[in-house]
Every structure is written in structure tokens, then in C-alpha cells.
């Protein structure tokens, strides 16, 4: 049965794209969660709603306009946050509501909600095209390379911004870079779970991994593993039971988190055991 | 040779003067203890020296370089903050924290720095699991990996137990005497400053005294004046907060 499912082209594209998005969202999300910016992904996704509505109205492929509007609003809000010293959660609220307001006006101008809008709101990875898959793979590869190259500087500025600044790390530039990367990641991942559930991919695998991981590296690897397994299992289960993939993926990720919380509350998660099982040669 | 030269430094926050016309210099291999009550401007002075505060009157030179014009001097400066500020559950080991921001290939130096502050055996522990005293030693190790010529420490033993404080002081002494690192250290602990520092700067918004440590601690009149002025500042600070 599983092998038969995997022989379908749309399923192969869904799984390949899903794995790429899982890797991307978990790595970018780890930096956002640790910077107490968990809802930033959600806010960018909501601002992309305005971009999608604009694309549908003027007849351009909506994801392109979504990239432009999301990136522009993410960078503007970061600038405003720094200049006027607005707190992170207030900045997120402004970004979130302005994107939705902008989108609603454009949608009313174009004659109301259509099936296209719903596919962006809730996502459907099974409909991803060959071109989309190539774009997702290219963006994932490029972003992961940038993160890998700046890995130590990004961790330092996430760990303690002031100390990183004193050490000569260009913290403000890195902040813009993270926001820029988050913007691209969110719009890329919209096809998988849609605007409404996007932040789940950024936050849930990372919150779960932080409960297990001793080191940053371990936490990132575990987060990627949780995200990939939720997405691949979610795609397969949703196809077999004919239910929505996005909801299934998010509920699976929540399931892993719930099991982890139960294990932790029973005292069954010990950082030293995790370390031993993952990197025994380092003891 | 002057490592740091501060000329007529004045800092104001919303019209309130935090530092008033401070001038002094720090020589190579000095162990300078900066003492003063809460609100005396010690952290403000460090923030200006480290380029965190850039809006001030006067000039600060590090190794002859004006701190307003270049940040290159920061490569030779290590900084240990008053209290380690980070997310308690931050998933990073001690070794990863020391490694942050460094270029690849620094592993040997990281191990040496951890050994220098006697914390090597904890290198694979998660940073949040360590006591505040141990965390401060990690931050010294982090500062040491960059081979600093100057180490700036802002009241580093606040909230640390007596035994850890003693270990901490002995590490600072070694760094200054055996490794020739200039230490600039703010503290409330006059006894420790008397024991460790060869120079003292008494700060109370203005510079009350700067010179050889023995000169200050052997002059009862100076200590009395300093205590009175500190008490007034302490009461003023509490009235404001």
C-alpha cells in the first residue's frame, strides 16, 4: 500500500517538498523560538495574506507577491521596532493585523473569497507542482547554506545580544538577516500547511526538541527529525484516510510534544542519557 | 604604556548626569579596581568603553584608538557582564557557549581557556544547569579564547557564594600576574579590591580618587570621605528608585 502511494508523482513531490520545508522551518524556527519571537512566523504569514490577495487581484502568481509583501513588511516592522523601541509581541500584533486588513480590502475589491484564497489559507502539499518543488529545494538549500556559514555568529547573537555586540558581531545586520530568512521560509512553507497553521511548524518541533537536547546541535537535529517525521507521516496518513494534510501534520507534531511533556513530567527525560545515545564517542 | 585613556567623559540620561567630567588612564598590566555605590556610573563607564553607549561628551582611547572611530580595539578586549543574561533553557553546552562567535579551528584554545578557569570537566553540561559562579567562569573562558590584552568585569561576583568568589578572585590574580592581562574590574568588595588591585578608581558620578591602591587604603581620611559620599549617593539612589 505504502509503496503504491509512493509511486505517484504528486506524492513524491509532496514528500520531497515536505522534507525540505520541515528542515527549513525547524532550523529557522529554532532561532525565532530562542529569540522569543515564536509568533513572528505567524505574523509574516498573515502579512503574506495581503500579498496573495494582491497577486490574485492583479493576475500575478500569488506566491511571488506574497514573497514581496511579506519580506517588505517584515523588514519595515523590524526597523520600526528598533527605532521606536516597540516590544517584540506588539510588533508581531501590528504586522499580523495590518496584513490581514490589507488582504481583506483587496479581496473585497476582487469580488470576495475564492477557492484560490482557501488553498493558501489552509495549504495542500499534495497539489505542489514540479516547478514549486524545484523552487522549494533551491530556497531550502540556499538558506541552510547561509545559516551554516553564519552558524556561530547567529547562535551568539541569539544567546546574548549585548555580549555578541561587544565581541564585534554585527548583531543588527544578523537580526535583519534572520527576519529576511524567516520571511522567505514562511511564504515557501505556506503551500504545505497554509497561512493559518504555519507557526506550528516553526514552534512545535523546536519546543519539543529543547526539552530533550543538551546542546544546540543536538536540539537542531532532534527538531529536524520531529518535523520531518510529522510531515512525512502526516502526508501519508492524510492520503490514506482522505483528511486534510495540514491539520494532520500539525496534530502529529503536537502529539510528539504531548508525549515528550508526559515523559518529562514523569522524570524520564534526562539530558545525559540523550547525550549518550546521540554522541557516545564524546563522553 | 597607556592601554586606556579617558578624557573629560560626561554622560547624561534624559538630562540626569550619570558621569561628570571623568579623566584617568589605565596602564598595561594594571589591575584596576573601580569602586563606587549603586548608581555611581560604573556600568555606564564600561558601556562607553565597550561602545554600547555612543552618546557621550569627551573622548575614550583604547590602545591609542578613539572608540568612536573604530571598533577594532574590541578584538583585544574581553568582557564579563554583571550577571549572565540568557534564556534559562537555552540548549547549549558550556563548550558551545565558549565557541559562539569564534572562527573554526579554535578547539585547542577553547579547551585551554576552560582549563584556565578550572571548569573543563563541566564542558559538556548544559549552561543553564551550572551555578551562577560557574557560569561567570564560563564567561571568563569565553573572553580568554580571544587572547584579550584587557579584561573588563562588571561586578562579576554579584550573587555568588563565598567559595566560588574566592576561586574567581584567584583566577583573576593568575590572569593578571601570569598572563599579563590588564584587568578592569568594578566591585563593591573593598577588602577584595585592597587585596587584588594595584590601582583604584573611586567613582561617584565624578572621579573621587584614582591612583595606587595602597595610597587609598592606607589613608583613613580618604576612606572616610569616600564612605560618606557613598552613603549619600546610596540614599539618593534609593530615593530615586
Amino acid at each position: 500500500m505504502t509503496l503504491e502511494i509512493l509511486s505517484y508523482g504528486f506524492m513524491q513531490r509532496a514528500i520531497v517538498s515536505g522534507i525540505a520545508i520541515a528542515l527549513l522551518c525547524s532550523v529557522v524556527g529554532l532561532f525565532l523560538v530562542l529569540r522569543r519571537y515564536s509568533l513572528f512566523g505567524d505574523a509574516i504569514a498573515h502579512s503574506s495574506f495581503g500579498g496573495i490577495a494582491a497577486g490574485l487581484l492583479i493576475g500575478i502568481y500569488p506566491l511571488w507577491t506574497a514573497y514581496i509583501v511579506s519580506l517588505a513588511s517584515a523588514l519595515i516592522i523590524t526597523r520600526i521596532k528598533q527605532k521606536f523601541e516597540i516590544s517584540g509581541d506588539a510588533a508581531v500584533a501590528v504586522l499580523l493585523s495590518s496584513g490581514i486588513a490589507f488582504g481583506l480590502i483587496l479581496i473585497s475589491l476582487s469580488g470576495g473569497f475564492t477557492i484560490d484564497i482557501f488553498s493558501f489559507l489552509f495549504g495542500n502539499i499534495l497539489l505542489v507542482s514540479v516547478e514549486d518543488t524545484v523552487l522549494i529545494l533551491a530556497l531550502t538549500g540556499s538558506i541552510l547554506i547561509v545559516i551554516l556559514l553564519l552558524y556561530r555568529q547567529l547562535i551568539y547573537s541569539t544567546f546574548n545580544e549585548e555580549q555578541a555586540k561587544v565581541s564585534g558581531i554585527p548583531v543588527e545586520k544578523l537580526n535583519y538577516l534572520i527576519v529576511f530568512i524567516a520571511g522567505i521560509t514562511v511564504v515557501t512553507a505556506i503551500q504545505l500547511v497554509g497561512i493559518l497553521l504555519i507557526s506550528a511548524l516553526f514552534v512545535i518541533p523546536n519546543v519539543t526538541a529543547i526539552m530533550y537536547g543538551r546542546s544546540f546541535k543536538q536540539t537542531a537535529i532532534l527538531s529536524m527529525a520531529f518535523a520531518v517525521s510529522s510531515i512525512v507521516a502526516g502526508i501519508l496518513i492524510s492520503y490514506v484516510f482522505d483528511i486534510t494534510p495540514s491539520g494532520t501534520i500539525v496534530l502529529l507534531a503536537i502529539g510528539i510534544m504531548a508525549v515528550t511533556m508526559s515523559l518529562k513530567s514523569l522524570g524520564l527525560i534526562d539530558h545525559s542519557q540523550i547525550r549518550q545515545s546521540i554522541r557516545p564517542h564524546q563522553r | 604604556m597607556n592601554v586606556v585613556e579617558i578624557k573629560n567623559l560626561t554622560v547624561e540620561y534624559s538630562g540626569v548626569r550619570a558621569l561628570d567630567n571623568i579623566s584617568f588612564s589605565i596602564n598595561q598590566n594594571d589591575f584596576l579596581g573601580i569602586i563606587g555605590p549603586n548608581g555611581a556610573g560604573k556600568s555606564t563607564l564600561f558601556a562607553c568603553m565597550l561602545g554600547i553607549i555612543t552618546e557621550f561628551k569627551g573622548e575614550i582611547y583604547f590602545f591609542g584608538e578613539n572608540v568612536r572611530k573604530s571598533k577594532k580595539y574590541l578584538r583585544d578586549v574581553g568582557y564579563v557582564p554583571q550577571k549572565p543574561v540568557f534564556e534559562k533553557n537555552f540548549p547549549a553546552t558550556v563548550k558551545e557557549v565558549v565557541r559562539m562567535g569564534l572562527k573554526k579551528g579554535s578547539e585547542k584554545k577553547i579547551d585551554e581557556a576552560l582549563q584556565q578557569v578550572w571548569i573543563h570537566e563541566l564542558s559538556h553540561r548544559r549552561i543553564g544547569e551550572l551555578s551562577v559562579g560557574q557560569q561567570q567562569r564560563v564567561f571568563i573562558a569565553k573572553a580568554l579564547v580571544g587572547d584579550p590584552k584587557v579584561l573588563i568585569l562588571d561586578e562579576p561576583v554579584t550573587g555568588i557564594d563565598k567559595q566560588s568568589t574566592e576561586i574567581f578572585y584567584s583566577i583573576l590574580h593568575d590572569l593578571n600576574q601570569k598572563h599579563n592581562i590588564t584587568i578592569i574590574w568594578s566591585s563593591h568588595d573593598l577588602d577584595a579590591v585592597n587585596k587584588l588591585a594595584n590601582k583604584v578608581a573611586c567613582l561617584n558620578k565624578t572621579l573621587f580618587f584614582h591612583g595606587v591602591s595602597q595610597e587609598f587604603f592606607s589613608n583613613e581620611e580618604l576612606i572616610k570621605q569616600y564612605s560618606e559620599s557613598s552613603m549619600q549617593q546610596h540614599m539618593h539612589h534609593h530615593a530615586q528608585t
Side-chain angles (χ1 to χ4, degrees), chain B:
Chain B
M1 183 195 153
N2 278 351
V3 170
V4 183
E5 199 170 353
I6 296 167
K7 286 182 178 174
N8 309 110
L9 178 67
T10 298
V11 184
E12 283 184 2
Y13 296 121
S14 321
V16 178
R17 200 155 275 207
L19 285 173
D20 190 4
N21 203 24
I22 305 282
S23 296
F24 67 98
S25 52
I26 302 165
N27 295 330
Q28 197 172 2
N29 216 24
D30 267 357
F31 195 133
L32 173 72
I34 300 181
I35 55 174
N38 286 332
K42 302 186 292 289
S43 298
T44 302
L45 173 66
F46 287 163
C48 294
M49 290 166 79
L50 294 164
I52 299 166
I53 293 178
T54 49
E55 288 185 20
F56 56 80
K57 288 178 193 159
E59 302 298 337
I60 301 175
Y61 296 91
F62 249 96
F63 315 109
E65 188 180 291
N66 191 326
V67 300
R68 288 183 204 276
K69 291 182 182 156
S70 169
K71 295 276 173 266
K72 278 184 193 165
Y73 71 97
L74 288 173
R75 288 180 200 159
D76 292 321
V77 179
Y79 169 58
V80 179
Q82 192 170 36
K83 203 178 164 194
V85 181
F86 59 88
E87 192 66 36
K88 194 178 165 275
N89 289 324
F90 199 99
T93 61
V94 165
K95 207 167 185 177
E96 276 183 323
V97 170
V98 177
R99 194 185 286 134
M100 284 174 189
L102 294 175
K103 286 181 184 153
K104 284 190 176 171
S106 322
E107 294 306 306
K108 201 180 157 203
K109 270 190 175 178
I110 293 170
D111 287 334
E112 282 170 4
L114 287 168
Q115 270 161 358
Q116 246 174 311
V117 297
W118 314 345
I119 210 154
H120 194 254
E121 71 279 9
L122 301 175
S123 62
H124 291 292
R125 292 268 299 273
R126 197 161 163 165
I127 183 77
E129 294 171 0
L130 269 57
S131 71
V132 179
Q134 289 168 331
Q135 285 170 1
Q136 282 297 52
R137 276 149 67 188
V138 174
F139 284 105
I140 292 201
K142 179 151 192 59
L144 292 178
V145 196
D147 283 331
K149 291 178 183 152
V150 178
L151 198 56
I152 296 179
L153 306 104
D154 188 2
E155 295 183 27
V157 293
T158 308
I160 298 180
D161 64 79
K162 205 179 165 194
Q163 196 189 353
S164 299
T165 302
E166 289 304 322
I167 294 172
F168 198 87
Y169 287 155
S170 131
I171 290 167
L172 290 189
H173 179 77
D174 276 5
L175 293 175
N176 179 249
Q177 294 298 310
K178 294 182 187 163
H179 300 273
N180 300 323
I181 296 175
T182 306
I183 308 267
I184 307 169
W185 158 56
S186 71
S187 176
H188 283 294
D189 186 348
L190 292 193
D191 287 338
V193 173
N194 187 15
K195 240 185 266 176
L196 289 166
N198 70 327
K199 300 274 179 65
V200 174
C202 302
L203 205 60
N204 197 353
K205 294 183 192 286
T206 56
L207 188 64
F208 180 80
F209 173 88
H210 173 247
V212 177
S213 169
Q214 270 180 335
E215 220 174 273
F216 179 78
F217 287 105
S218 60
N219 189 330
E220 281 182 18
E221 189 53 36
L222 262 180
I223 293 178
K224 195 180 158 201
Q225 278 177 25
Y226 168 74
S227 304
E228 281 168 4
S229 129
S230 294
M231 186 55 77
Q232 280 171 8
Q233 171 60 25
H234 183 72
M235 289 169 78
H236 180 66
H237 182 73
H238 276 272
Q240 280 187 326
T241 54

Side-chain angles (χ1 to χ4, degrees), chain A residues 167-229:
Chain A
S167 304
I169 307 272
V171 171
E172 284 189 5
K173 283 182 190 161
L174 289 176
N175 287 346
Y176 276 109
L177 180 73
I178 276 287
V179 165
F180 186 79
I181 285 175
I184 295 176
T185 305
V186 166
V187 182
T188 307
I190 277 175
Q191 296 169 81
L192 180 64
V193 289
I195 291 167
L196 297 177
L197 289 174
I198 197 87
S199 66
L201 284 189
F202 281 83
V203 178
I204 300 169
N206 283 309
V207 170
T208 312
I210 288 170
M211 285 190 260
Y212 286 103
R214 165 177 294 269
S215 68
F216 194 89
K217 217 180 210 173
Q218 259 181 26
T219 309
I221 291 169
L222 285 169
S223 168
M224 286 191 269
F226 294 145
V228 168
S229 44

